[in-house]
Amino acid sequence: MASIELRQLSKRYGKNPVVHGIDLHIGDGEFVALVGPSGCGKSTLLRMIAGLEETSGGEIHLGARRIDPIAPRDRDIAMVFQNYALYPHMTVADNLGFSLRLQKVRPAEIRVRVAEVAGILGLSPLLERKPGQLSGGQRQRVAMGRAILRRPQAFLFDEPLSNLDAKLRVQVRTEIKALHQRLRTTTVYVTHDQVEAMTLADRIVVLKDGHIEQVGTPLELYDRPGNAFVAGFIGSPAMNFIPGRLQLEGAPHVLTDDGLRLPLARAPRAEQGTRVVYGARPEHFSLVGGDDDEGVAAEVRVVEPTGSDTQVAARVAGHDIVAQLRERIGARPGELLRLRPQAELAHVFDAGSGLRLN
Ligand SMILES: Nc1ncnc2c1ncn2[C@@H]1O[C@H](COP(=O)(O)OP(=O)(O)OP(=O)(O)O)[C@@H](O)[C@H]1O
Ligand SMILES: [Mg+2]
């Protein structure tokens, strides 16, 4: 195992820059998730680390070695893709052992190592089957097993679960986490899925347009996003944003153009009257009685009971918001509810730069 270090790593396709001088250190044994909107450069970054894509500038280090000038097969990194290709005519056991046979490892040792990895991944009863006789999740585990068998210094995953149905995705996600806890192999994991990134990663890297927006632990990004982009990207349903002006006289709050007061626990680092965006996560609203001053009037649009809670889409001061409430609510579209955003947990961003102010 080894750390991965990216230094001023960049990529252009023709004249088109898609990755802009990225600096990132991934510790030995760390699990890092790369997230960001479609086209932001996640796969390109991963493919440069694997050596499937040439770099346009900068350096990639794996442990003590600089690997960007090295051929992919000599990098000692295993990559698992969204569309994993297994050899259809070979059994699971032969698929797993294939790379070891190429390395001329003795058959007896291959059998032992295949059996060990099959045990870890719950594939032991399936070793004699062909890929066509497996479910999608089982095939994905074989693909992971192949990567593990090589005992690489690092794993790269590019949306490995996106072809699986919701239930399997959760199962294989748990297996990936258990596997990482056991093997502690340095891992870079690209995903579109919020929950996957939050639950699997030691740290999350948020990319946008080939730049890093923020790097932090899942809860750091969730609790203290550094800017409005990260705030809107991390968390599902997404954070609500309501624009207004900062009011610091008396109890600090944000005043919307409609005259609505959105409470703040402390004065942010900005001047009275600054144009800001108030951020409140859906789960940080609570339902209050009709005469509560701190509540804001919300006109109900859609009520979605999930069983464990209720999601309410509503309009507040002319803006669409979503609130996730503990209560079961029978409100009909058009009805007014009073919702109170938790002042302690509110976020304030500069309306121009998007940077966090509190
Ligand atoms: N071979 C290529 N030639 C030219 N442009 C490319 C090539 N591959 C990718 N790009 C462009 O580079 C940018 C980054 O692509 P990349 O595949 O890394 O995005 P991504 O973050 O993985 O997106 P997604 O979430 O959709 O998989 C995109 O604008 C894409 O169109
Ligand atoms: Mg991609």
Side-chain angles (χ1 to χ4, degrees):
M1 281 181 281
S3 59
I4 298 174
E5 182 144 339
L6 312 181
R7 295 186 194 158
Q8 283 298 303
L9 186 62
S10 64
K11 177 68 184 177
R12 283 184 307 276
Y13 287 110
K15 284 197 179 127
N16 190 20
V18 296
V19 173
H20 307 265
I22 283 191
D23 288 307
L24 180 66
H25 179 86
I26 299 168
D28 187 359
E30 199 177 13
F31 194 120
V32 165
L34 285 183
V35 302
S38 184
C40 71
K42 303 180 295 295
S43 296
T44 303
L45 203 59
L46 213 60
R47 292 169 59 82
M48 286 195 286
I49 299 172
L52 304 175
E53 203 75 72
E54 276 186 23
T55 61
S56 306
E59 301 179 3
I60 306 172
H61 296 254
L62 181 68
R65 289 187 304 154
R66 179 172 173 189
I67 57 166
D68 54 282
I70 297 179
R73 64 173 179 283
D74 299 325
R75 292 190 184 192
D76 203 7
I77 290 177
M79 184 149 167
V80 178
F81 301 90
Q82 173 180 353
N83 299 308
Y84 39 92
L86 302 177
Y87 301 105
H89 55 284
M90 287 186 200
T91 62
V92 168
D94 290 340
N95 264 287
L96 286 171
F98 188 71
S99 66
L100 299 182
R101 279 204 300 284
L102 287 186
Q103 291 169 24
K104 308 261 188 277
V105 176
R106 285 179 301 114
E109 188 185 337
I110 294 178
R111 270 198 302 281
V112 171
R113 283 172 63 179
V114 165
E116 182 194 10
V117 165
I120 294 174
L121 289 171
L123 294 169
S124 307
L126 307 174
L127 284 174
E128 295 315 311
R129 293 215 198 152
K130 301 272 174 66
Q133 299 166 309
L134 302 176
S135 74
Q138 291 166 339
R139 282 201 286 267
Q140 184 60 298
R141 277 184 274 158
V142 177
M144 279 197 290
R146 277 200 315 205
I148 295 166
L149 265 162
R150 290 173 47 194
R151 294 183 185 162
Q153 306 233 42
F155 288 132
L156 308 177
F157 290 97
D158 196 354
E159 308 204 35
L161 309 185
S162 54
N163 283 346
L164 305 182
D165 69 36
K167 194 170 167 211
L168 261 177
R169 215 178 301 156
V170 174
Q171 275 174 18
V172 182
R173 185 178 89 206
T174 307
E175 273 161 27
I176 290 178
K177 180 142 191 170
L179 199 68
H180 183 256
Q181 284 166 357
R182 181 169 168 158
L183 302 176
R184 288 278 156 207
T185 307
T186 311
T187 300
V188 188
Y189 188 101
V190 167
T191 178
H192 265 111
D193 186 324
Q194 287 288 320
V195 183
E196 261 174 48
M198 295 290 289
T199 52
L200 286 171
D202 297 314
R203 285 190 304 156
I204 297 178
V205 177
V206 182
L207 287 178
K208 181 188 169 204
D209 298 336
H211 292 282
I212 292 182
E213 288 281 322
Q214 194 173 355
V215 182
T217 66
L219 294 182
E220 278 166 8
L221 297 194
Y222 190 84
D223 292 340
R224 290 191 61 79
N227 59 45
F229 176 80
V230 174
F233 197 78
I234 297 288
S236 172
M239 186 184 289
N240 298 294
F241 294 116
I242 304 175
R245 284 184 187 275
L246 202 55
Q247 301 297 322
L248 302 175
E249 287 145 20
H253 62 278
V254 170
L255 189 66
T256 71
D257 292 346
D258 303 38
L260 191 71
R261 291 167 65 107
L262 301 164
L264 293 171
R266 280 169 297 281
R269 298 178 301 267
E271 287 176 20
Q272 161 76 17
T274 305
R275 280 235 157 254
V276 297
V277 176
Y278 184 91
R281 294 207 179 273
E283 61 274 33
H284 296 155
F285 282 100
S286 50
L287 194 61
V288 291
D291 48 0
D292 189 310
D293 300 344
E294 290 181 45
V296 298
E299 184 189 333
V300 173
R301 294 180 52 236
V302 177
V303 176
E304 297 177 318
T306 68
S308 56
D309 55 26
T310 310
Q311 268 188 40
V312 179
R315 283 187 77 75
V316 168
H319 299 280
D320 284 321
I321 65 134
V322 172
Q324 201 164 19
L325 305 170
R326 283 284 175 77
E327 297 88 345
R328 298 200 167 175
I329 293 170
R332 298 192 167 278
E335 258 179 65
L336 285 182
L337 295 177
R338 277 195 90 71
L339 299 176
R340 181 171 53 204
Q342 270 177 268
E344 281 289 332
L345 299 174
H347 306 256
V348 184
F349 304 102
D350 185 89
S353 66
L355 292 177
R356 178 180 198 88
L357 297 174
N358 68 331

